[in-house]
């Protein structure tokens, strides 16, 4: 049986430049923000978890929901939470209505940490990202990324 392969739908030169610019910007921005947070004793992943917990009712989230929100496997998140527990930033709490469920809970120390670190982190986000664009470009970026995020969340099964 002869199988006919279709030619790949290669990216155009402009699409290739846009894709590579996106990859480079994402990696460089993540690295820069993570590096600037290191002086606080947090990683960018730690910060993201603290933000999610600080914005949740009761400053707590089910571990499964937190894993989805931070795009981590349950196992990786569990290890991350263990490190953060050792630092006194979070604690685990059993779920009353589901014996298998566990909450990650922001401690008072975690709350104080996010309150202390957030202003400098936001300044870094502005300096290395937001302030490099016009308000119109920020709006366009939101319009560009929203359907991509929605699509990928649906593909991932987190929506």
């Amino acid at each position: 049986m002869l199988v006919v392969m279709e030619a790949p739908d290669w990216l155009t030169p402009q699409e290739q430049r846009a894709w590579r610019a996106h990859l480079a910007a994402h990696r460089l921005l993540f690295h820069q923000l993570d590096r600037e947070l290191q002086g606080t004793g947090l990683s960018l992943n730690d910060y993201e978890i603290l933000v999610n917990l600080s914005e949740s009712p009761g400053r707590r989230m089910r571990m499964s929901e937190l894993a989805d929100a931070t795009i981590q496997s349950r196992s990786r998140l569990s290890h991350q939470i263990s490190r953060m527990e050792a630092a006194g930033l979070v604690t685990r709490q059993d779920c009353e209505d589901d014996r298998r469920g566990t909450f990650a809970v922001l401690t008072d120390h975690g709350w104080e940490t996010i309150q202390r670190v957030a202003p400098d982190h936001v300044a870094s986000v502005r300096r290395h990202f937001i302030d490099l664009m016009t308000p119109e470009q920020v709006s366009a970026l939101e319009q560009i990324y929203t359907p991509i995020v929605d699509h990928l969340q649906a593909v991932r099964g987190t929506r």
Side-chain angles (χ1 to χ4, degrees):
M1 172 180 211
L2 179 64
V3 177
V4 178
M5 301 280 291
E6 289 187 36
D9 187 13
W10 297 112
L11 299 180
T12 66
Q14 182 181 22
E15 290 168 338
Q16 185 69 254
R17 288 190 304 273
W19 173 242
R20 290 182 180 183
H22 162 77
L23 290 177
H26 171 76
R27 288 179 181 140
L28 289 165
L29 182 61
F30 186 94
H31 175 76
Q32 185 64 36
L33 295 175
D34 192 58
R35 198 174 102 204
E36 290 182 15
L37 276 171
Q38 285 176 358
T40 68
L42 297 176
S43 68
L44 193 52
N45 289 332
D46 294 335
Y47 185 85
E48 182 182 17
I49 288 168
L50 294 179
V51 167
N52 274 276
L53 294 175
S54 73
E55 294 175 346
S56 296
R59 296 184 188 151
R60 69 182 195 166
M61 289 179 74
R62 289 181 71 102
M63 291 283 286
S64 58
E65 292 171 358
L66 186 56
D68 289 343
T70 58
I71 312 171
Q72 295 187 57
S73 70
R74 309 294 192 264
S75 174
R76 180 170 180 199
L77 178 67
S78 182
H79 290 296
Q80 180 89 26
I81 293 296
S82 292
R83 287 191 298 276
M84 294 175 74
E85 269 187 304
L89 299 167
V90 298
T91 188
R92 293 175 207 244
Q93 185 180 80
D94 290 334
C95 182
E96 304 85 30
D97 56 337
D98 178 1
R99 288 189 160 152
R100 294 171 294 158
T102 304
F103 287 102
V105 182
L106 188 64
T107 63
D108 289 341
H109 176 61
W111 174 249
E112 291 163 4
T113 299
I114 193 72
Q115 295 288 86
R116 177 177 43 82
V117 171
D120 288 339
H121 178 68
V122 170
S124 292
V125 169
R126 285 198 164 285
R127 182 172 54 256
H128 300 301
F129 185 65
I130 297 296
D131 291 347
L132 301 176
M133 296 180 276
T134 65
E136 294 78 18
Q137 289 171 319
V138 171
S139 178
L141 194 63
E142 178 187 14
Q143 291 172 16
I144 290 165
Y145 275 114
T146 297
I148 295 169
V149 168
D150 290 346
H151 166 76
L152 292 172
Q153 286 177 330
V155 167
R156 194 166 189 267
T158 57
R159 262 227 161 160

